Amino acid sequence: MLVLGIETSCDETGIAVVEDGRMVRSNVVAAQDLHARYGGVVPEVASRAHVDLLHPAVEEACALAGIHLRDIDGIAVTIGPGLAGSLLVGVAAAKGYSFALDRPLVGVNHLAAHVYACVIEHGTLPLPAATFVVSGGHTSLLVMEADGSFRVLGQTIDDAAGEAYDKVARVLGLGYPGGPLIDELARQGDPTAIDFPRSLLHDGTWDFSLSGLKTAVLRHVQRNPGVKPADVAAAFQEAVVDVQVAKVVGAAIKEGLDTVLLAGGVAANSRLRARMAAEADSAGLRLLVPSPALCTDNGAMVAVAGSFALERGERSAPDLDADPNLPLVPGVGRRAARRPSRRQRRQA
Ligand code: KG4
Ligand code: ZN
């Protein structure tokens, strides 16, 4: 079965052809470098660029896979969460291909797609598994119970991990997207040079908070104009990773799980990958994480998630719509459902 994956939730036009739910025949990511000058994604610019880039990327993905578009057996598309206009471009295109080719269409949750990227290199996922999705818009600690089924343990009560990396990169004048630039710069810095806060480290929940850390970095840079940017990057990254590793490993142990799935753009972070591998190993946990290029947004993960959905018999109707706030678990929104306690807010 050949599935075409279409990913346009943010600023990457990702198109892929995946065979039998795992084998990536092609994976074209047309990155929009138009946003760097604004220091972040401009939604209107992103959706217009998707319109221009999408069909050529589909043609390129088919050519690289050595197939014709009519050889496709099904179409998978990200329907949310993400930017409304960007999602709409992908969904409209997917409906068009589905109608024109008379092939089944399936809408995919972007966060689930990130997790399914683990299948590409690791095969069938050993479930249930502790699952940590960290991206530009999300920080979610979950249990993946079964194929297509997740339970939320905790999430960010303010900024997403990628958002914090991007903001700190801006404070350091590094450019956009900031995550890979901080990752790179931090290698030359001393992670112990500055003692940044580890918010919610011992709060007894699986929630995360990064706005206090972000403010602490800003204040430190303003008060210490001579500070080495590499030290700020390394100390910031260490503070982020300390909490992430402690909570993810802690949750896996508490839930009695023996596997950890790590996914999303921030899972490309070299320090997170190294620390998580070491801590998982010493706790006797198996860690599955996609290679860095499959962590950031791409069409292959959408095609894989869509292949599993199609196998489960899921089909989307021709009136399929994008949902910018689509939750991974029905009824559980992007931010933590509950308001943070006063103590958590003070600590943050
Ligand atoms: O999953 P993704 O490609 O898009 C969203 O779904 O949001 O994640 C993008 C985020 C950006 O904030 C980017 O700065 C961050 O992932 N990122 C990283 C690294 N590579 C990408 N953050 C830290 N270290 C990295 N190496
Ligand atoms: Zn993403």
Side-chain angles (χ1 to χ4, degrees):
M1 182 172 72
L2 291 174
V3 171
L4 180 72
I6 302 179
E7 158 58 41
T8 65
S9 69
C10 192
D11 61 339
E12 253 107 21
T13 314
I15 307 290
V17 175
V18 168
E19 185 175 350
D20 294 336
R22 180 170 176 197
M23 205 217 297
V24 179
R25 295 274 297 261
S26 63
N27 190 19
V28 175
V29 180
Q32 304 176 1
D33 41 15
L34 307 153
H35 305 282
R37 80 180 87 146
Y38 304 108
V41 178
V42 183
E44 181 61 22
V45 173
S47 40
R48 282 172 191 274
H50 284 305
V51 172
D52 294 337
L53 295 169
L54 199 146
H55 190 67
V58 169
E59 289 189 322
E60 190 186 345
C62 287
L64 289 171
I67 62 160
H68 293 289
L69 191 51
R70 63 176 177 275
D71 298 329
I72 291 291
D73 299 301
I75 293 131
V77 62
T78 300
I79 53 169
L83 300 172
S86 292
L87 289 166
L88 270 176
V89 175
V91 172
K95 289 201 265 194
Y97 290 122
S98 167
F99 181 72
L101 300 167
D102 191 22
R103 296 292 188 276
L105 170 70
V106 69
V108 166
N109 182 299
H110 181 77
L111 302 182
H114 271 302
V115 178
Y116 276 89
C118 293
V119 171
I120 297 167
E121 290 145 316
H122 302 292
T124 311
L125 303 176
L127 302 177
T131 302
F132 190 45
V133 188
V134 259
S135 69
H138 293 267
T139 298
S140 300
L141 181 47
L142 314 150
V143 178
M144 185 174 184
E145 312 256 27
D147 177 29
S149 153
F150 296 86
R151 172 161 58 90
V152 178
L153 296 176
Q155 44 196 327
T156 181
I157 59 170
D158 42 53
D159 293 355
E163 212 174 333
Y165 272 96
D166 294 338
K167 283 180 187 163
V168 166
R170 205 177 309 159
V171 168
L172 294 176
L174 295 180
Y176 175 87
L181 302 168
I182 297 228
D183 192 346
E184 190 62 40
L185 183 63
R187 288 168 216 251
Q188 298 143 38
D190 173 7
T192 64
I194 310 153
D195 189 19
F196 285 130
R198 269 78 172 152
S199 300
L200 309 188
L201 182 55
H202 302 295
D203 72 325
T205 76
W206 305 123
D207 288 335
F208 298 82
S209 166
L210 287 171
S211 72
L213 172 58
K214 183 188 68 190
T215 309
V217 171
L218 178 63
R219 214 175 291 140
H220 190 89
V221 171
Q222 284 170 341
R223 287 180 187 166
N224 302 276
V227 70
K228 257 180 77 185
D231 285 345
V232 177
F236 159 75
Q237 182 175 265
E238 205 64 15
V240 174
V241 170
D242 268 352
V243 181
Q244 290 178 334
V245 170
K247 292 225 175 191
V248 174
V249 171
I253 294 170
K254 182 91 185 290
E255 291 284 323
L257 303 166
D258 56 15
T259 302
V260 173
L261 309 177
L262 180 59
V266 179
N269 183 267
S270 63
R271 188 68 181 149
L272 175 61
R273 298 169 78 89
R275 290 276 312 279
M276 196 72 94
E279 298 286 328
D281 189 54
S282 59
L285 300 167
R286 176 173 170 196
L287 174 68
L288 304 183
V289 51
S291 56
L294 290 170
C295 287
T296 45
D297 290 351
N298 64 84
M301 66 186 198
V302 177
V304 173
S307 302
F308 276 80
L310 289 168
E311 283 290 325
R312 293 195 298 268
E314 283 181 28
R315 301 286 182 273
S316 295
D319 64 351
L320 177 69
D321 212 352
D323 179 355
N325 299 311
L326 184 72
L328 187 52
V329 177
V332 182
R334 176 177 180 233
R335 305 291 191 201
R338 60 191 172 282
R339 194 173 142 72
S341 70
R342 197 172 299 150
R343 186 172 66 84
Q344 284 174 332
R345 276 180 276 143
R346 237 193 347 256
Q347 219 181 327

